[in-house]
């Protein structure tokens, strides 16, 4: 059994994977650790380029490349990598990350020092060292009101339900942490199972932290460890939302699945949407009066109901792109396939 397995999920970001692996070279012990790069059926030259990088830099003794036959999404790709290595802990790492010196050793030390912690996350930051918010409270129907209103008095009144938690320089216990980089204890996976593959992308990290906490584990922020996160490098959804464009439908399908799983099925989805509409009335009235800039995405009020009739169905797998197609960059609107919903519901979660 290895001390640590690091899983890097790639979808059409081979250069970022190269940079991420380069940052790991001095941080891993080939005798104790293993890195698995899972290619999520990119359909471009990713596999060849990553294999070439491994050959050029002689990384074979600590890096494996594992091409997936399908793009099953974030959870499925990471689960594939986890199953490939028997280890005491697993570090899930986005391809758009750069690990700062000493970060992995610090995370492992934090896990050893806190046996009650099942998941531990570093301080995520920009290349210039400015921190990113990476610790959060669980989304709830009340937080949907806050998000839709985006108005100071509403946020202050419901502060206990506001999702983002300000950056802290001291270790603390948030409700969930970003899975751009997270260290997961093997015992957690043995107890609660793998990540829920019913989420194609987004909300799977919230789901997993909720399940771990329900099983008695703590989720810990460990800001002593620093990891650069180049946001938007592995998915365009956040950029689309910042520009108020219509994001990919799997975002709303994941939201629906989350509220159904943890807030009472369709009733939870209905309540979350109802409070979103209440908040939207607040922000819309301010926009009409000219005191607020619009912030909601295109068609958001309608897209909130994605999959509401069967909220626990699994998101369908997108078709595997043709290898002959021109490689796409992460900012290309076609770089993440947009599958259509299935009519048949799927299971609640995988075990």
């Amino acid at each position: 059994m290895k001390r640590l397995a690091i899983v890097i999920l790639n979808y059409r970001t081979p250069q970022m994977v190269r940079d991420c692996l380069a940052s790991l070279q001095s941080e891993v012990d080939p005798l104790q650790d293993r890195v698995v790069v899972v290619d999520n059926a990119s359909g471009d030259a990713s596999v060849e380029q990553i294999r070439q990088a491994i050959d050029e830099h002689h990384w074979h003794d600590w890096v494996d490349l594992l091409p997936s036959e399908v793009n099953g999404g974030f959870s499925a790709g990471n689960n594939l990598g986890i199953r490939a290595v028997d280890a005491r802990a697993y570090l899930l790492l986005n391809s758009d990350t750069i690990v700062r010196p000493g970060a992995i050793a610090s995370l492992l030390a934090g896990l050893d020092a806190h046996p009650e912690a099942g998941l531990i996350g570093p301080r995520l930051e920009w290349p210039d060292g400015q921190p990113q918010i990476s610790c959060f409270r669980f989304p709830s129907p009340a937080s949907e009101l806050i998000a839709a209103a985006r108005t100071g008095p509403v946020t202050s009144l419901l502060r206990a339900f506001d999702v983002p938690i300000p950056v802290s320089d001291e270790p603390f216990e948030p409700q969930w942490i970003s899975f751009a980089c997270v260290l997961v204890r093997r015992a957690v996976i043995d107890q609660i199972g793998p990540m829920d593959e019913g989420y194609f992308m987004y909300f799977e990290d919230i789901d997993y932290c909720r399940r771990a906490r329900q099983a008695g584990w703590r989720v810990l922020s460990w800001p002593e460890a620093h990891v650069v996160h180049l946001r938007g490098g592995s998915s365009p959804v956040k950029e689309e939302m910042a520009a108020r464009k219509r994001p990919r439908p799997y975002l709303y399908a994941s939201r629906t699945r989350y509220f159904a799983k943890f807030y009472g099925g369709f009733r939870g989805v209905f309540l979350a949407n109802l409070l979103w509409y209440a908040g939207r009335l607040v922000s819309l009235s301010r926009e009409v009066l000219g005191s607020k800039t619009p912030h909601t995405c295109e068609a958001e009020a309608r897209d909130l109901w994605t999959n509401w009739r069967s909220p626990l169905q699994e998101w369908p797998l997108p078709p595997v792109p043709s290898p002959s197609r021109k490689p796409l960059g992460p900012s290309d609107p076609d770089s993440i396939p947009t599958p259509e919903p299935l009519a048949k519901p799927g299971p609640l979660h995988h075990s």
Side-chain angles (χ1 to χ4, degrees), residues 194-273:
M195 295 171 64
D196 184 350
E197 296 181 15
Y199 299 96
F200 182 75
M201 191 180 295
Y202 296 104
F203 285 87
E204 64 281 292
D205 44 5
I206 312 173
D207 178 294
Y208 206 73
C209 288
R210 285 196 83 126
R211 289 163 54 198
R213 286 169 59 92
Q214 288 171 352
W217 295 99
R218 293 178 61 192
V219 176
L220 189 62
S221 170
W222 197 254
E224 176 185 293
H226 292 220
V227 172
V228 174
H229 181 209
L230 305 171
R231 283 182 177 173
S234 56
S235 169
V237 170
K238 291 182 179 178
E239 291 182 358
E240 292 169 350
M241 295 181 70
R244 300 185 57 225
K245 296 179 180 179
R246 190 176 189 180
R248 311 305 164 92
Y250 54 69
L251 171 67
Y252 294 109
S254 293
R255 174 187 177 274
T256 297
R257 183 178 184 85
Y258 167 79
F259 280 113
K261 281 187 67 172
F262 296 103
Y263 290 93
F266 171 72
R267 290 172 296 176
V269 178
F270 182 82
L271 180 59
N273 289 356

Coordinates of all heavy atoms in Angstrom, one line a residue, residues 194-273:
P194 N -17.3 5.8 -2.8 CA -16.7 6.7 -3.8 C -17.5 8.0 -3.9 O -18.6 8.1 -3.4 CB -16.6 6.0 -5.1 CG -17.7 5.0 -5.0 CD -17.8 4.6 -3.5
M195 N -17.1 8.9 -4.7 CA -17.8 10.1 -5.0 C -19.1 9.7 -5.9 O -19.0 8.8 -6.7 CB -17.0 11.1 -5.8 CG -15.8 11.7 -4.9 SD -14.6 12.7 -5.8 CE -15.7 14.0 -6.3
D196 N -20.1 10.5 -5.8 CA -21.4 10.2 -6.4 C -21.3 10.6 -7.9 O -21.1 11.7 -8.3 CB -22.5 11.0 -5.8 CG -23.9 10.7 -6.4 OD1 -23.9 10.1 -7.4 OD2 -24.9 11.2 -5.8
E197 N -21.3 9.6 -8.8 CA -21.1 9.8 -10.2 C -22.4 10.3 -10.9 O -22.5 10.5 -12.1 CB -20.6 8.5 -10.9 CG -19.3 8.1 -10.4 CD -18.7 6.8 -11.0 OE1 -19.3 6.4 -12.1 OE2 -17.7 6.3 -10.5
G198 N -23.5 10.5 -10.1 CA -24.7 11.1 -10.6 C -24.5 12.5 -10.9 O -25.3 13.1 -11.7
Y199 N -23.5 13.2 -10.3 CA -23.1 14.5 -10.7 C -22.1 14.5 -11.8 O -21.0 13.9 -11.7 CB -22.4 15.2 -9.5 CG -23.3 15.4 -8.3 CD1 -23.2 14.4 -7.2 CD2 -24.2 16.4 -8.1 CE1 -23.9 14.6 -6.1 CE2 -24.9 16.6 -6.9 CZ -24.8 15.6 -5.9 OH -25.5 15.7 -4.8
F200 N -22.4 15.1 -13.0 CA -21.4 15.2 -14.0 C -20.3 16.1 -13.7 O -19.1 15.8 -13.8 CB -22.1 15.6 -15.3 CG -21.1 15.6 -16.5 CD1 -20.7 14.4 -17.1 CD2 -20.6 16.8 -17.0 CE1 -19.8 14.4 -18.1 CE2 -19.7 16.8 -18.0 CZ -19.3 15.6 -18.6
M201 N -20.7 17.3 -13.2 CA -19.7 18.3 -12.7 C -20.4 19.3 -11.8 O -21.5 19.7 -12.1 CB -19.0 19.0 -13.9 CG -17.8 19.8 -13.5 SD -17.0 20.6 -14.8 CE -16.4 19.2 -15.8
Y202 N -19.8 19.7 -10.7 CA -20.2 20.6 -9.7 C -21.1 19.9 -8.7 O -21.9 19.0 -9.0 CB -20.9 21.9 -10.3 CG -19.9 22.7 -11.1 CD1 -19.9 22.6 -12.5 CD2 -18.9 23.4 -10.5 CE1 -19.0 23.4 -13.3 CE2 -18.0 24.1 -11.2 CZ -18.0 24.1 -12.6 OH -17.1 24.8 -13.4
F203 N -21.0 20.4 -7.5 CA -21.8 19.9 -6.3 C -21.3 18.6 -5.8 O -21.7 18.2 -4.7 CB -23.3 19.9 -6.6 CG -23.9 21.3 -6.6 CD1 -24.0 22.0 -7.7 CD2 -24.5 21.8 -5.4 CE1 -24.6 23.3 -7.7 CE2 -25.1 23.0 -5.4 CZ -25.1 23.8 -6.6
E204 N -20.4 17.9 -6.5 CA -20.0 16.6 -6.0 C -19.1 16.7 -4.8 O -19.1 15.9 -3.9 CB -19.3 15.8 -7.1 CG -18.0 16.4 -7.7 CD -18.2 17.5 -8.7 OE1 -18.7 17.2 -9.8 OE2 -17.9 18.7 -8.3
D205 N -18.3 17.8 -4.7 CA -17.5 18.1 -3.6 C -18.3 18.4 -2.3 O -18.0 17.9 -1.2 CB -16.4 19.2 -3.8 CG -17.0 20.4 -4.6 OD1 -18.2 20.4 -4.8 OD2 -16.2 21.3 -4.9
I206 N -19.4 19.2 -2.5 CA -20.3 19.5 -1.4 C -20.9 18.2 -0.9 O -21.0 17.9 0.3 CB -21.4 20.5 -1.9 CG1 -20.7 21.7 -2.6 CG2 -22.1 21.0 -0.7 CD1 -21.8 22.6 -3.2
D207 N -21.4 17.4 -1.9 CA -22.0 16.1 -1.5 C -21.1 15.2 -0.7 O -21.5 14.7 0.3 CB -22.4 15.4 -2.8 CG -23.1 14.1 -2.7 OD1 -22.4 13.1 -2.2 OD2 -24.3 13.9 -3.0
Y208 N -19.9 15.1 -1.2 CA -18.9 14.2 -0.5 C -18.6 14.7 0.9 O -18.5 13.9 1.9 CB -17.7 14.0 -1.3 CG -17.0 12.7 -1.0 CD1 -17.5 11.5 -1.5 CD2 -15.8 12.6 -0.2 CE1 -16.9 10.3 -1.2 CE2 -15.2 11.4 0.0 CZ -15.8 10.2 -0.4 OH -15.2 9.0 -0.2
C209 N -18.4 16.0 1.1 CA -18.2 16.6 2.4 C -19.4 16.4 3.3 O -19.2 16.1 4.5 CB -17.8 18.0 2.3 SG -16.2 18.4 1.6
R210 N -20.6 16.5 2.8 CA -21.8 16.3 3.7 C -21.8 14.8 4.1 O -22.1 14.5 5.3 CB -23.0 16.6 2.9 CG -23.3 18.1 2.7 CD -24.7 18.3 2.3 NE -25.6 18.3 3.4 CZ -26.4 19.3 3.8 NH1 -26.5 20.4 3.0 NH2 -27.2 19.2 4.8
R211 N -21.6 13.9 3.2 CA -21.6 12.5 3.5 C -20.5 12.1 4.5 O -20.8 11.3 5.5 CB -21.5 11.6 2.3 CG -22.7 11.7 1.4 CD -22.4 11.2 0.0 NE -21.8 9.9 0.0 CZ -21.1 9.4 -1.1 NH1 -20.9 10.1 -2.2 NH2 -20.6 8.2 -1.0
A212 N -19.3 12.7 4.4 CA -18.2 12.5 5.4 C -18.6 13.0 6.7 O -18.4 12.3 7.8 CB -16.9 13.1 4.9
R213 N -19.2 14.2 6.8 CA -19.6 14.8 8.1 C -20.7 14.0 8.7 O -20.7 13.8 9.9 CB -19.9 16.2 7.9 CG -18.8 17.1 7.7 CD -19.2 18.5 7.2 NE -20.1 19.2 8.2 CZ -19.7 20.0 9.2 NH1 -18.4 20.2 9.3 NH2 -20.5 20.5 10.0
Q214 N -21.6 13.5 7.9 CA -22.7 12.7 8.4 C -22.2 11.4 9.0 O -22.8 10.8 10.0 CB -23.7 12.4 7.3 CG -24.6 13.6 6.9 CD -25.4 13.3 5.7 OE1 -25.3 12.3 5.1 NE2 -26.3 14.2 5.4
A215 N -21.0 10.9 8.5 CA -20.4 9.7 9.0 C -19.5 9.9 10.2 O -18.9 9.0 10.7 CB -19.6 9.0 7.9
G216 N -19.4 11.2 10.6 CA -18.6 11.5 11.8 C -17.2 12.1 11.6 O -16.5 12.4 12.6
W217 N -16.9 12.3 10.3 CA -15.6 12.8 10.0 C -15.6 14.4 10.0 O -16.6 15.0 9.7 CB -15.1 12.4 8.7 CG -14.8 10.9 8.6 CD1 -15.6 9.9 8.1 CD2 -13.6 10.2 9.1 NE1 -15.0 8.7 8.2 CE2 -13.8 8.8 8.8 CE3 -12.4 10.6 9.7 CZ2 -12.8 7.9 9.2 CZ3 -11.5 9.7 10.0 CH2 -11.7 8.3 9.7
R218 N -14.5 15.0 10.3 CA -14.3 16.4 10.2 C -13.7 16.8 8.9 O -12.9 16.1 8.3 CB -13.5 17.0 11.4 CG -14.1 16.8 12.7 CD -13.1 17.3 13.8 NE -12.8 18.8 13.6 CZ -11.8 19.4 14.3 NH1 -11.0 18.7 15.1 NH2 -11.6 20.7 14.1
V219 N -14.1 18.0 8.4 CA -13.5 18.6 7.2 C -12.6 19.8 7.7 O -13.1 20.6 8.4 CB -14.6 19.1 6.2 CG1 -13.9 19.8 5.0 CG2 -15.4 17.9 5.8
L220 N -11.4 19.8 7.3 CA -10.4 20.7 7.8 C -9.7 21.6 6.8 O -9.3 21.1 5.7 CB -9.3 19.9 8.6 CG -8.4 20.7 9.5 CD1 -9.1 21.5 10.6 CD2 -7.3 19.8 10.1
S221 N -9.7 22.9 7.0 CA -8.9 23.8 6.2 C -7.5 23.9 6.8 O -7.4 24.2 8.0 CB -9.6 25.2 6.1 OG -8.7 26.1 5.5
W222 N -6.5 23.8 5.9 CA -5.1 23.8 6.4 C -4.3 24.8 5.6 O -3.6 24.5 4.6 CB -4.5 22.4 6.2 CG -3.2 22.1 7.0 CD1 -2.0 22.0 6.5 CD2 -3.2 21.9 8.4 NE1 -1.1 21.7 7.6 CE2 -1.8 21.6 8.7 CE3 -4.1 21.8 9.5 CZ2 -1.3 21.4 10.0 CZ3 -3.6 21.5 10.8 CH2 -2.3 21.3 11.0
P223 N -4.4 26.1 6.0 CA -3.8 27.2 5.2 C -2.3 27.2 5.2 O -1.7 28.0 4.4 CB -4.4 28.4 5.8 CG -4.7 28.1 7.2 CD -5.1 26.6 7.2
E224 N -1.6 26.4 6.0 CA -0.2 26.4 5.9 C 0.3 25.8 4.6 O 1.4 26.2 4.1 CB 0.3 25.5 7.1 CG 1.8 25.2 7.1 CD 2.2 24.3 8.2 OE1 2.1 24.6 9.4 OE2 2.7 23.2 7.9
A225 N -0.5 24.9 4.0 CA -0.2 24.4 2.7 C -0.7 25.3 1.6 O -1.9 25.7 1.6 CB -0.7 23.0 2.5
H226 N 0.1 25.6 0.6 CA -0.3 26.6 -0.5 C -0.3 25.9 -1.8 O 0.6 25.2 -2.2 CB 0.6 27.8 -0.5 CG 0.5 28.7 0.7 ND1 0.6 30.1 0.5 CD2 0.4 28.4 2.0 CE1 0.5 30.6 1.8 NE2 0.4 29.6 2.6
V227 N -1.4 26.0 -2.6 CA -1.5 25.5 -3.9 C -2.1 26.5 -4.8 O -3.2 27.1 -4.5 CB -2.4 24.2 -3.9 CG1 -2.7 23.7 -5.3 CG2 -1.8 23.1 -3.1
V228 N -1.5 26.8 -5.9 CA -2.0 27.7 -6.9 C -3.1 27.1 -7.7 O -3.0 25.9 -8.2 CB -0.9 28.1 -7.9 CG1 -1.4 29.0 -9.0 CG2 0.2 28.9 -7.2
H229 N -4.2 27.8 -7.9 CA -5.4 27.3 -8.6 C -5.7 28.3 -9.7 O -6.1 29.5 -9.4 CB -6.6 27.2 -7.7 CG -7.8 26.7 -8.4 ND1 -9.1 27.0 -8.0 CD2 -7.9 25.9 -9.5 CE1 -10.0 26.4 -8.8 NE2 -9.3 25.7 -9.7
L230 N -5.5 27.9 -11.0 CA -5.7 28.8 -12.1 C -7.2 28.6 -12.5 O -7.5 27.9 -13.4 CB -4.8 28.4 -13.3 CG -3.3 28.4 -12.9 CD1 -2.5 27.8 -14.1 CD2 -2.8 29.8 -12.6
R231 N -8.1 29.3 -11.8 CA -9.5 29.1 -12.0 C -9.9 29.2 -13.5 O -9.5 30.1 -14.2 CB -10.3 30.1 -11.1 CG -10.4 29.7 -9.7 CD -11.2 30.7 -8.9 NE -11.3 30.4 -7.5 CZ -11.9 31.2 -6.6 NH1 -12.4 32.3 -7.0 NH2 -12.0 30.8 -5.4
G232 N -10.8 28.3 -13.9 CA -11.3 28.4 -15.2 C -10.5 27.6 -16.2 O -10.9 27.5 -17.4
G233 N -9.4 27.1 -15.8 CA -8.5 26.4 -16.7 C -9.1 25.0 -17.1 O -8.8 24.5 -18.2
S234 N -9.9 24.4 -16.2 CA -10.4 23.1 -16.5 C -11.9 23.0 -16.8 O -12.4 22.0 -17.2 CB -10.1 22.1 -15.3 OG -10.7 22.6 -14.1
S235 N -12.5 24.2 -16.7 CA -14.0 24.3 -17.1 C -14.3 25.7 -17.3 O -13.9 26.6 -16.6 CB -14.8 23.7 -15.9 OG -16.2 24.0 -16.2
P236 N -15.1 26.0 -18.3 CA -15.5 27.4 -18.6 C -16.7 27.9 -17.9 O -17.1 29.0 -18.0 CB -15.8 27.4 -20.1 CG -16.4 26.0 -20.3 CD -15.6 25.1 -19.3
V237 N -17.4 27.1 -17.0 CA -18.6 27.4 -16.4 C -18.6 28.7 -15.6 O -19.4 29.6 -15.7 CB -19.2 26.2 -15.6 CG1 -20.4 26.7 -14.8 CG2 -19.6 25.1 -16.6
K238 N -17.5 28.8 -14.7 CA -17.4 30.0 -13.9 C -17.2 31.2 -14.7 O -17.7 32.3 -14.3 CB -16.3 29.8 -12.8 CG -16.6 28.7 -11.8 CD -15.5 28.5 -10.8 CE -15.9 27.5 -9.7 NZ -14.8 27.3 -8.7
E239 N -16.5 31.1 -15.8 CA -16.3 32.3 -16.6 C -17.6 32.7 -17.3 O -17.9 33.9 -17.4 CB -15.3 32.0 -17.7 CG -13.8 31.9 -17.2 CD -12.8 31.6 -18.3 OE1 -13.3 31.5 -19.5 OE2 -11.6 31.5 -18.0
E240 N -18.4 31.7 -17.7 CA -19.7 32.0 -18.3 C -20.6 32.6 -17.3 O -21.3 33.6 -17.6 CB -20.3 30.7 -18.8 CG -19.6 30.0 -19.9 CD -20.1 28.6 -20.2 OE1 -20.8 28.0 -19.4 OE2 -19.7 28.1 -21.3
M241 N -20.6 32.2 -16.0 CA -21.5 32.8 -15.0 C -21.0 34.2 -14.7 O -21.9 35.1 -14.5 CB -21.5 31.9 -13.8 CG -22.1 30.5 -14.0 SD -22.1 29.5 -12.5 CE -23.4 30.4 -11.6
A242 N -19.7 34.4 -14.6 CA -19.3 35.8 -14.4 C -19.7 36.7 -15.4 O -19.9 37.9 -15.2 CB -17.7 35.8 -14.2
A243 N -19.8 36.2 -16.7 CA -20.2 37.1 -17.8 C -21.7 37.1 -18.0 O -22.2 37.6 -18.9 CB -19.5 36.6 -19.1
R244 N -22.4 36.4 -17.1 CA -23.9 36.3 -17.1 C -24.4 35.6 -18.3 O -25.5 35.7 -18.7 CB -24.5 37.7 -17.0 CG -24.2 38.5 -15.7 CD -25.0 39.8 -15.6 NE -26.4 39.5 -15.7 CZ -27.2 40.2 -16.4 NH1 -26.8 41.2 -17.2 NH2 -28.5 39.9 -16.4
K245 N -23.6 34.7 -18.9 CA -24.0 33.9 -20.0 C -24.7 32.6 -19.4 O -24.6 32.4 -18.2 CB -22.8 33.4 -20.8 CG -22.1 34.6 -21.5 CD -20.9 34.1 -22.3 CE -20.2 35.2 -23.0 NZ -19.0 34.7 -23.8
R246 N -25.4 31.9 -20.3 CA -26.1 30.7 -19.8 C -25.1 29.6 -19.7 O -24.5 29.1 -20.6 CB -27.1 30.3 -20.9 CG -28.1 29.3 -20.4 CD -29.1 29.0 -21.5 NE -30.2 28.1 -21.0 CZ -31.2 27.8 -21.8 NH1 -31.3 28.2 -23.1 NH2 -32.2 27.0 -21.3
P247 N -24.9 29.1 -18.4 CA -23.9 28.0 -18.2 C -24.5 26.7 -18.7 O -25.6 26.5 -19.1 CB -23.8 28.0 -16.7 CG -25.0 28.6 -16.1 CD -25.5 29.6 -17.2
R248 N -23.6 25.7 -18.7 CA -23.9 24.4 -19.2 C -25.0 23.8 -18.3 O -25.0 23.9 -17.1 CB -22.7 23.5 -19.2 CG -21.5 24.1 -19.8 CD -21.8 24.6 -21.3 NE -20.7 25.5 -21.8 CZ -19.7 25.1 -22.4 NH1 -19.5 23.9 -22.7 NH2 -18.8 26.0 -22.9
P249 N -25.9 23.0 -18.9 CA -27.1 22.5 -18.2 C -26.7 21.5 -17.1 O -27.4 21.3 -16.1 CB -27.9 21.8 -19.2 CG -27.0 21.6 -20.4 CD -26.0 22.7 -20.4
Y250 N -25.5 20.9 -17.1 CA -25.1 20.0 -16.1 C -24.9 20.7 -14.7 O -25.0 20.1 -13.7 CB -23.9 19.1 -16.4 CG -22.7 19.9 -16.9 CD1 -21.9 20.7 -16.0 CD2 -22.2 19.8 -18.2 CE1 -20.8 21.3 -16.4 CE2 -21.1 20.4 -18.6 CZ -20.3 21.2 -17.7 OH -19.2 21.9 -18.1
L251 N -24.7 22.0 -14.8 CA -24.6 22.8 -13.5 C -25.9 22.7 -12.8 O -26.0 22.5 -11.6 CB -24.1 24.2 -13.8 CG -24.2 25.2 -12.6 CD1 -23.2 24.8 -11.6 CD2 -24.0 26.6 -13.1
Y252 N -27.0 23.0 -13.5 CA -28.3 23.0 -12.9 C -28.8 21.6 -12.5 O -29.5 21.4 -11.5 CB -29.3 23.7 -13.8 CG -29.0 25.2 -14.0 CD1 -28.5 25.7 -15.2 CD2 -29.2 26.1 -13.0 CE1 -28.2 27.0 -15.4 CE2 -28.9 27.5 -13.1 CZ -28.4 27.9 -14.4 OH -28.1 29.2 -14.5
A253 N -28.4 20.6 -13.4 CA -28.8 19.3 -13.0 C -28.1 18.8 -11.7 O -28.7 18.1 -10.9 CB -28.4 18.3 -14.2
S254 N -26.9 19.3 -11.5 CA -26.2 18.9 -10.3 C -26.8 19.6 -9.1 O -27.0 19.1 -8.0 CB -24.7 19.3 -10.4 OG -24.0 18.5 -11.3
R255 N -27.2 20.9 -9.3 CA -27.9 21.6 -8.2 C -29.2 20.9 -7.8 O -29.5 20.8 -6.6 CB -28.2 23.1 -8.7 CG -29.0 23.9 -7.8 CD -29.4 25.2 -8.4 NE -30.2 26.1 -7.6 CZ -31.5 26.0 -7.5 NH1 -32.1 25.0 -8.3 NH2 -32.2 26.8 -6.8
T256 N -30.0 20.5 -8.8 CA -31.2 19.8 -8.5 C -31.0 18.5 -7.8 O -31.7 18.2 -6.8 CB -31.9 19.5 -9.9 OG1 -32.3 20.8 -10.5 CG2 -33.2 18.7 -9.6
R257 N -30.0 17.8 -8.2 CA -29.6 16.5 -7.5 C -29.3 16.8 -6.1 O -29.7 16.1 -5.2 CB -28.5 15.8 -8.2 CG -28.1 14.4 -7.7 CD -27.0 13.8 -8.5 NE -26.7 12.4 -8.0 CZ -27.4 11.3 -8.3 NH1 -28.4 11.4 -9.2 NH2 -27.1 10.2 -7.8
Y258 N -28.5 17.8 -5.8 CA -28.0 18.1 -4.5 C -29.2 18.5 -3.6 O -29.3 17.9 -2.5 CB -27.0 19.3 -4.5 CG -26.7 19.9 -3.2 CD1 -25.8 19.3 -2.3 CD2 -27.3 21.1 -2.8 CE1 -25.6 19.8 -1.1 CE2 -27.1 21.6 -1.5 CZ -26.2 21.0 -0.7 OH -25.9 21.5 0.6
F259 N -30.0 19.4 -4.0 CA -31.2 19.8 -3.1 C -32.1 18.6 -2.9 O -32.7 18.5 -1.8 CB -31.9 21.0 -3.7 CG -31.2 22.3 -3.4 CD1 -30.6 23.0 -4.4 CD2 -31.0 22.7 -2.1 CE1 -29.9 24.2 -4.1 CE2 -30.4 23.9 -1.8 CZ -29.8 24.7 -2.8
A260 N -32.3 17.8 -3.9 CA -33.2 16.6 -3.8 C -32.6 15.6 -2.8 O -33.3 15.0 -1.9 CB -33.4 15.9 -5.1
K261 N -31.3 15.4 -2.8 CA -30.6 14.4 -1.9 C -30.7 14.8 -0.5 O -30.9 14.0 0.4 CB -29.2 14.1 -2.3 CG -29.0 13.2 -3.5 CD -27.6 12.9 -3.8 CE -26.9 12.1 -2.7 NZ -25.6 11.6 -3.0
F262 N -30.5 16.1 -0.2 CA -30.2 16.6 1.2 C -31.4 17.4 1.8 O -31.3 17.8 2.9 CB -28.9 17.3 1.2 CG -27.7 16.4 0.9 CD1 -27.1 16.5 -0.3 CD2 -27.2 15.5 1.8 CE1 -26.0 15.7 -0.6 CE2 -26.2 14.7 1.5 CZ -25.5 14.8 0.3
Y263 N -32.4 17.7 1.0 CA -33.4 18.6 1.5 C -34.8 18.0 1.2 O -35.8 18.8 1.0 CB -33.3 20.0 1.0 CG -32.1 20.7 1.6 CD1 -30.9 20.7 0.9 CD2 -32.2 21.4 2.8 CE1 -29.8 21.3 1.5 CE2 -31.1 22.0 3.4 CZ -29.9 22.0 2.7 OH -28.8 22.6 3.3
G264 N -34.9 16.7 1.1 CA -36.3 16.1 1.0 C -36.8 15.9 -0.4 O -38.0 16.1 -0.6
G265 N -36.0 15.5 -1.3 CA -36.5 15.2 -2.7 C -37.0 16.4 -3.4 O -36.5 17.5 -3.3
F266 N -38.1 16.3 -4.1 CA -38.7 17.4 -4.9 C -39.0 18.6 -4.0 O -38.9 19.7 -4.4 CB -39.9 16.9 -5.7 CG -40.6 18.1 -6.3 CD1 -40.1 18.7 -7.4 CD2 -41.8 18.5 -5.8 CE1 -40.7 19.8 -8.0 CE2 -42.5 19.6 -6.4 CZ -41.9 20.2 -7.5
R267 N -39.4 18.3 -2.8 CA -39.8 19.4 -1.9 C -38.6 20.3 -1.6 O -38.7 21.6 -1.5 CB -40.3 18.9 -0.5 CG -41.7 18.2 -0.6 CD -42.0 17.5 0.7 NE -41.1 16.4 1.0 CZ -41.1 15.7 2.1 NH1 -42.1 16.0 3.0 NH2 -40.3 14.7 2.3
G268 N -37.4 19.7 -1.5 CA -36.2 20.6 -1.3 C -35.9 21.4 -2.6 O -35.5 22.6 -2.5
V269 N -36.0 20.8 -3.8 CA -35.8 21.5 -5.0 C -36.8 22.7 -5.1 O -36.5 23.8 -5.4 CB -35.9 20.6 -6.2 CG1 -35.8 21.4 -7.5 CG2 -34.9 19.5 -6.1
F270 N -38.1 22.4 -4.8 CA -39.1 23.4 -4.9 C -38.9 24.6 -3.9 O -39.0 25.7 -4.3 CB -40.5 22.8 -4.6 CG -41.7 23.7 -4.7 CD1 -42.2 24.0 -6.0 CD2 -42.2 24.4 -3.6 CE1 -43.2 24.9 -6.1 CE2 -43.2 25.3 -3.7 CZ -43.8 25.6 -5.0
L271 N -38.5 24.2 -2.7 CA -38.2 25.3 -1.7 C -37.0 26.1 -2.1 O -37.1 27.4 -2.0 CB -38.0 24.6 -0.3 CG -37.7 25.6 0.8 CD1 -38.9 26.6 1.0 CD2 -37.4 24.8 2.1
A272 N -36.0 25.5 -2.6 CA -34.8 26.2 -3.0 C -35.1 27.2 -4.1 O -34.7 28.4 -4.1 CB -33.7 25.3 -3.4
N273 N -35.9 26.7 -5.1 CA -36.3 27.6 -6.2 C -37.2 28.7 -5.8 O -37.1 29.8 -6.3 CB -37.0 26.7 -7.3 CG -36.0 25.8 -8.0 OD1 -34.8 25.9 -7.8 ND2 -36.4 25.0 -8.9

